[in-house]
Amino acid sequence: MNNERAIATPLKTKEILAKYGFSFKKSLGQNFLIDVNILKKIIDYAEIDSKTGTIEVGPGMGALTEQLAIHSDQVVAFEIDQRLVPVLNETLDAYKNVTIINQDILQADINQVIKDNFRKGQKIKVAANLPYYITTPILMKLLMDKLPVESFTVMIQKEVADRMAASPNTKSYGSLTIAVQYYTEAKIAMSVPKTVFMPQPNVDSAVLHLHVRENPPVDVEDEAFFFDLVQACFGQRRKTLRNNLARHFADRLSKTIIEELLQQAGIDGTRRGESLDMTEFAQLANVFFSALENR
């Protein structure tokens, strides 16, 4: 497609906004992409081809949806803002392989949507310019629902992308890092300037690529307990593991027992959460889980 005719240009976007008298809702984090080249790079990073089924969250006026429709087999896009449904029906009218679902993704039964819209065994990927105010809840729902999805390629706030793709002993590393990397291999594909959005956001952006793991990289006795313990270890970042765990388990475990369990896990209690890798967190969680189960 000729770039000038694409939806993702400043002129075309302004035309559509004027035609529908559309006003941006800050509460929905609406920032529309107006650079076709960025969108094509997202398609490239996602490795979307004519056999791929794609899921999009927050299509807006259809800028990315259009590129997904051109390059993939079938597109299902979730749009929460009812005002955008007639806009999308018009802008995507030429593409018969697009289904718009006017629903909050957080309320959707996505496994059922996949069964209804994609072929059995079809390769499925998620590609989206996610609303920044709700990026983490959306991604965590999609990951924890354990969908038959191969990868996620998403435009998000750069600070959040840094946290999701972080390594131990860095400022960005935290419980969100562990949660995302438990399910996926995370990599920042590219940084994106504010100028490619309308209106321009106040924050920098990045495209994050998450390749879904077949199996988690660690074995844990109980996933919910594992994530809970990881969060506890980062409860107060500047405090030691010993202090954070004593605070978290105050009503269940004495300081003496916590010290014994740390030793049993082979973890020095004077360390901070950011210094532990996922294997060490798994050891710690399993030891604490067993101790509490056997009480």
Side-chain angles (χ1 to χ4, degrees):
M1 165 183 279
N2 185 322
N3 280 8
E4 280 73 43
R5 290 182 53 220
I7 296 167
T9 61
L11 189 64
K12 184 75 173 164
T13 301
K14 282 176 185 166
E15 265 178 35
I16 298 166
L17 290 171
K19 179 174 179 179
Y20 285 89
F22 186 84
S23 55
F24 295 98
K25 268 194 184 171
K26 224 173 184 179
S27 64
L28 294 177
Q30 289 171 328
N31 302 92
F32 298 159
L33 278 157
I34 51 169
D35 187 319
V36 184
N37 294 321
I38 297 283
L39 295 175
K40 288 181 175 173
K41 283 180 182 173
I42 291 173
I43 303 287
D44 288 344
Y45 285 123
E47 296 183 341
I48 285 168
D49 58 32
S50 59
K51 292 177 184 171
T52 312
T54 51
I55 296 171
E56 185 186 9
V57 184
M61 291 193 303
L64 176 58
T65 327
E66 175 178 54
Q67 298 304 319
L68 293 172
I70 291 166
H71 293 91
S72 67
D73 174 53
Q74 197 69 30
V75 185
V76 173
F78 287 88
E79 177 52 63
I80 194 172
D81 190 348
Q82 204 168 354
R83 301 174 305 152
L84 284 165
V85 175
V87 180
L88 289 163
N89 286 339
E90 182 187 324
T91 58
L92 301 169
D93 182 52
Y95 305 101
K96 304 308 172 196
N97 59 340
V98 176
T99 302
I100 305 297
I101 298 178
N102 180 207
Q103 187 180 14
D104 180 351
I105 189 83
L106 295 175
Q107 307 299 323
D109 181 348
I110 305 166
N111 272 303
Q112 190 58 50
V113 169
I114 287 171
K115 280 179 193 163
D116 294 344
N117 291 277
F118 300 112
R119 295 190 306 278
K120 195 174 179 184
Q122 183 168 17
K123 182 172 61 176
I124 299 167
K125 300 186 177 189
V126 173
N129 170 28
L130 290 177
Y132 291 179
Y133 77 104
I134 202 167
T135 294
T136 301
I138 289 173
L139 275 177
M140 290 316 299
K141 174 193 163 57
L142 296 174
L143 292 173
M144 293 176 85
D145 278 0
K146 299 189 176 165
L147 307 168
V149 166
E150 198 174 282
S151 67
F152 299 79
T153 306
V154 290
M155 174 90 75
I156 61 175
Q157 186 176 337
K158 185 171 187 309
E159 185 192 330
V160 178
D162 287 341
R163 286 166 60 202
M164 290 182 176
S167 302
N169 293 306
T170 60
K171 196 175 138 196
S172 299
Y173 185 73
S175 55
L176 181 61
T177 315
I178 299 292
V180 169
Q181 293 184 22
Y182 180 82
Y183 295 111
T184 71
E185 292 173 64
K187 181 182 164 193
I188 293 177
M190 64 184 290
S191 294
V192 180
K194 298 173 186 179
T195 50
V196 303
F197 296 94
M198 185 185 291
Q200 287 188 24
N202 300 322
V203 295
D204 292 320
S205 305
V207 174
L208 180 75
H209 182 74
L210 302 173
H211 186 81
V212 178
R213 300 179 188 272
E214 280 188 33
N215 296 296
V218 292
D219 289 320
V220 296
E221 299 288 334
D222 183 281
E223 280 186 8
F225 184 85
F226 169 68
F227 292 130
D228 186 54
L229 179 130
V230 169
Q231 273 197 309
C233 290
F234 287 100
Q236 290 180 284
R237 281 189 78 96
R238 300 207 58 77
K239 297 221 167 185
T240 63
L241 289 172
R242 183 187 289 131
N243 285 340
N244 274 326
L245 290 168
R247 190 162 166 259
H248 185 72
F249 291 109
D251 57 340
R252 288 179 280 172
L253 298 170
S254 69
K255 288 183 179 179
T256 307
I257 289 174
I258 284 171
E259 195 58 52
E260 285 171 9
L261 294 176
L262 280 161
Q263 285 176 17
Q264 200 180 317
I267 307 286
D268 181 349
T270 63
R271 290 170 67 183
R272 289 180 180 155
E274 67 198 46
S275 75
L276 272 67
D277 62 22
M278 200 177 316
T279 303
E280 291 174 307
F281 275 122
Q283 283 167 230
L284 200 57
N286 289 344
V287 166
F288 272 72
F289 183 75
S290 296
L292 287 162
E293 282 287 284
N294 295 326
R295 280 172 76 78

